[in-house]
Amino acid sequence: MADITRRLGWRHLRSAPTAHVRHHRGGRLAHEGAGLSFWYRSLSAALSEVPVDDRELTMAFHATTADFQDVTVQATVTYRISDPETAAARIDFSIDPDTGLWRGAPLEQLSTLLTETAQQHALDTLAGSPLDEVLRSGVAAVRGRIDAGLADEPRLAATGLTVVAVRVVAIRPEPEVERALRTPTRERIQQEADRATYERRAVAVERERTIAENELASKIELARREEGLVEQRGTNARRQAEESAAADAVRAEAEATRTVRLARAEAEAARQVGEGRAQAQAAWLRVHADAEPATLHALALTRLAENVPKIDSVILSPDVVTGLLSRLGGPAGGHDPAPRP
């Protein structure tokens, strides 16, 4: 939309670069072009603004296939006004000189023209194909047919329109038919999913069986090794017992031999000690047999003195001392000598 300002009865128009403006004054063309800016009087000016940028038109319409099934077509057409002079001459693009707004609805007229033309070519294509073929390859066929039909449409060229691109977004049947068509595919997908699930379960069961077999084989091998270990332990125990018995026998024999030898040595030592004691006793007896009785008495007293308790002091009376001395110093006949004066 053009930008219009007011100054003391004059109007100033400033258009966008994508808008083609035509200004007639007094029936003559005063200004024409895109992105213009000029002053004018509203009472004597006739203005028209034609957009020359690319525009997209979204359309949705119903159609019937060859097997009498209703489908919905969603498409988008991109177009532009390539000849604004022709378009301004065929369609009312005039604007109010005071506000800059279109007096009519030119873009709606163009949309209706494009929609009806595209719908006509799409219906011709869909009416000759069954539903399954339309759903399988109908999008490309309908897009090609609409593109070719709009390019060859003389009314569009006479209006100054050029179709830039055609896109068919989707072709969809009725919801009930769509669900019915989806059912076999869903069942097939479900069957494949179930088969995959069963296969995974079978693989899991097989793996579990393999694991169980491996565990059983491991247990059997472990039991066999334990049996061999027990047998080896028994053999080792028997061998150890035999060796211990042999060692005990050797020790017993050595102990017996040592005991015998020790007994013999003790007997020999006792015999020699006895003989020595006998000889000593005999010698002692011989010595004592040859000794004087007084000497024997002295020795007896000496031995007695060695065995009696320690005496710190002994008090002897003169009579006892005199008697003892007389006996020790008397003659051999046993008579006391005469006392000396």
Side-chain angles (χ1 to χ4, degrees):
M1 183 181 66
D3 184 15
I4 297 177
T5 56
R6 302 178 182 183
R7 292 290 187 276
L8 301 176
W10 289 83
R11 304 290 185 270
H12 183 269
L13 182 145
R14 183 175 57 192
S15 64
T18 56
H20 185 90
V21 177
R22 291 170 59 86
H23 173 213
H24 289 80
R25 185 176 57 238
R28 294 191 301 270
L29 184 63
H31 300 91
E32 181 181 14
L36 296 180
S37 178
F38 55 88
W39 291 90
Y40 66 93
R41 290 185 175 273
S42 59
L43 297 178
S44 61
L47 302 174
S48 63
E49 183 181 19
V50 180
V52 294
D53 56 339
D54 291 350
R55 293 179 175 266
E56 291 187 352
L57 173 64
T58 301
M59 60 185 71
F61 53 87
H62 296 277
T64 304
T65 61
D67 49 359
F68 305 102
Q69 298 295 326
D70 292 337
V71 294
T72 301
V73 180
Q74 297 178 1
T76 301
V77 176
T78 303
Y79 70 95
R80 70 169 176 266
I81 301 176
S82 57
D83 190 353
E85 297 180 5
T86 303
R90 298 293 300 272
I91 299 176
D92 184 13
F93 281 96
S94 62
I95 61 176
D96 189 302
D98 293 327
T99 61
L101 299 178
W102 279 315
R103 297 181 183 273
L107 295 182
E108 293 182 4
Q109 297 180 15
L110 295 179
S111 298
T112 302
L113 175 61
L114 290 172
T115 300
E116 291 179 353
T117 305
Q119 184 176 358
Q120 179 181 355
H121 295 289
L123 293 177
D124 293 340
T125 302
L126 296 174
S129 302
L131 179 61
D132 56 349
E133 182 179 351
V134 169
L135 296 179
R136 184 171 56 254
S137 60
V139 173
V142 171
R143 182 178 61 248
R145 182 64 180 273
I146 293 176
D147 192 7
L150 293 178
D152 296 337
E153 180 63 32
R155 186 179 176 185
L156 297 181
T159 311
L161 295 179
T162 300
V163 177
V164 178
V166 176
R167 298 187 301 276
V168 177
V169 179
I171 299 178
R172 303 188 63 177
E174 295 294 328
E176 295 81 3
V177 177
E178 187 174 6
R179 283 194 296 268
L181 293 174
R182 289 178 177 177
T183 300
T185 303
R186 288 182 177 178
E187 291 180 354
R188 185 177 66 256
I189 294 174
Q190 186 63 39
Q191 291 175 0
E192 293 178 356
D194 294 340
R195 184 172 61 255
T197 302
Y198 295 150
E199 291 177 356
R200 287 196 300 270
R201 291 180 179 177
V203 171
V205 171
E206 182 66 22
R207 290 180 179 176
E208 291 179 357
R209 185 182 64 81
T210 303
I211 293 173
E213 291 179 354
N214 293 334
E215 291 179 353
L216 180 59
S218 299
K219 291 180 180 179
I220 294 174
E221 180 65 20
L222 181 60
R224 186 182 63 79
R225 292 185 179 181
E226 288 180 354
E227 181 180 1
L229 180 60
V230 170
E231 183 178 358
Q232 185 64 34
R233 286 178 178 175
T235 302
N236 294 338
R238 288 193 300 272
R239 184 177 301 173
Q240 185 177 2
E242 292 174 357
E243 292 179 356
S244 297
D248 292 340
V250 172
R251 284 196 299 271
E253 184 178 358
E255 186 68 22
T257 302
R258 189 181 67 82
T259 304
V260 170
R261 290 179 180 177
L262 181 61
R264 289 178 180 177
E266 289 179 352
E268 181 65 23
R271 185 183 61 80
Q272 292 179 2
V273 171
E275 291 179 355
R277 287 180 178 179
Q279 292 176 2
Q281 187 69 24
W284 185 82
L285 291 175
R286 286 194 300 269
V287 171
H288 285 75
D290 297 337
E292 294 292 333
T295 304
L296 296 176
H297 291 164
L299 292 174
L301 291 174
T302 302
R303 293 287 182 90
L304 180 62
E306 291 177 356
N307 295 322
V308 298
K310 182 179 179 181
I311 300 174
D312 294 334
S313 64
V314 176
I315 301 173
L316 298 177
S317 63
D319 294 337
V320 175
V321 174
T322 303
L324 289 176
L325 292 175
S326 63
R327 289 184 179 182
L328 292 175
H335 296 282
D336 295 333
R340 295 178 180 181

